[in-house]
Amino acid sequence: MLTLVAATGCSQDSSDEKSAKGIVLDLGGEIAVLKDFDSKPEIVGYRPEGTETLDTYRLTSPGQLASGDIVGIRDGGAVAISPDEPGKATLLAEATAWFPSVDSGKVWVVTEQARATACPGEQVPTTVRARYTIAEHETSGRPARRVLPLPCGMQPVAQTSGGIVAQQTTGDDAVSGTAARARTSVVMLDKSGAVGSVVAKDSTVVAAHADRIVWRPDDCTAASCTKVYNVQTKKSQNAPVCEAGDSVGTGALAAGGRWYATAIRTDSGNHLGVLDLERNSCRDLGPFSALEQTTDVDKELGAMWSGSNLFLLDQRTGELVEHNAPTGRVEQRREPLTVTNGAQVWGALKA
């Protein structure tokens, strides 16, 4: 069960503050739409025959663009889905990963080549496994107009208003025996794909979009390790402080870069917090059972932003929560959804 501490609501006088309509979900092998939050699911993509134990619709890293299109990875390719016709998918390109363009109207798809064939003779750390190439696509499926091969050891993760953000593998750290762990720095790339500036050495990107990069130093032992880099000021500061505890794990950053959903480690267990990176504040939504075994909110809790609405879906029980970040409103669905093989929220119709 989801255990929820509700936040107080405010008047709803703008489209960003309204409850979502036309919520699109993958119920673990069937695509469904909720006309309203508590509506009965309408199945628009039926389970193919013979796939009772499979989810052929499932997306890896699903996300919704500001344009409304839903994007994710399926069967080795990046696909775009309109919330108006969620049963159809447009293949954009072969891809192992993707991230939105800074204006959220296009997407960057990521492909990789094995180090042995793509980095012959180059002196790079042993933990470098591949060479990455990114290509910018429209969600219509038109061929990419911008293709950028990156140097070996450079893994792209996001685009901000200041350029592409990547993790650069700078060395190897011994773990045990012959095992090694990559030492990385967070960097901004120039238009050629080379390092334009270093955001933080010996660190890892957690999330990034628009004007902000959420990152953590790899050797941090302080109370709070989550940092936020402002692309405009070119400075980092600690993430907003939550009274109950510190933000941990991998969170979810809303389009626009203002709202960041994250697990909060407290003395009584993990809570779900929403950080306002613009006003430097934290809203504690309380404990969720789906966070008992993980601090990554996109796992069993299935956190997904649609505009300024955050959906939280317990992928085991089917319980669904919607949080509107501007107002603080929290709504829990009266009846859980029937799910199998896990479940995902993909997004909602634009208000």
Side-chain angles (χ1 to χ4, degrees), residues 279-303:
R279 297 187 177 180
N280 197 38
S281 62
C282 171
R283 180 178 289 125
D284 186 350
L285 300 188
F288 286 75
S289 61
L291 290 175
E292 291 175 358
Q293 303 300 321
T294 179
T295 55
D296 296 333
V297 300
D298 62 338
K299 302 300 182 185
E300 293 186 1
L301 189 54

Side-chain angles (χ1 to χ4, degrees), residues 45-91:
Y46 290 90
R47 183 183 299 279
E49 186 176 351
T51 63
E52 289 76 11
T53 61
L54 301 173
D55 182 357
T56 60
Y57 295 112
R58 188 172 183 83
L59 299 176
T60 300
S61 303
Q64 186 169 30
L65 307 179
S67 64
D69 288 327
I70 297 159
V71 181
I73 303 295
R74 180 190 290 166
D75 297 330
V79 297
I81 298 168
S82 168
D84 294 304
E85 294 184 287
K88 299 180 179 180
T90 299
L91 178 64

Side-chain angles (χ1 to χ4, degrees), residues 150 153-158 164-168 185-189 205:
L150 302 182
M154 204 75 69
Q155 182 176 6
V157 293
I164 300 294
V165 181
Q167 288 189 166
Q168 181 185 19
S185 291
V186 180
V187 298
M188 301 284 290
L189 305 183
V205 177

Side-chain angles (χ1 to χ4, degrees), residues 117-186:
T117 56
C119 313
E122 293 192 34
Q123 298 298 314
V124 294
T126 59
T127 48
V128 172
R129 296 286 182 260
R131 182 172 187 169
Y132 297 93
T133 296
I134 56 175
E136 190 178 40
H137 285 261
E138 297 179 7
T139 55
S140 63
R142 294 177 182 175
R145 294 184 178 181
R146 297 175 65 191
V147 179
L148 184 62
L150 302 182
C152 285
M154 204 75 69
Q155 182 176 6
V157 293
Q159 185 182 29
T160 69
S161 57
I164 300 294
V165 181
Q167 288 189 166
Q168 181 185 19
T169 300
T170 58
D172 302 315
D173 289 331
V175 179
S176 61
T178 58
R181 179 180 58 195
R183 188 186 318 123
T184 60
S185 291
V186 180

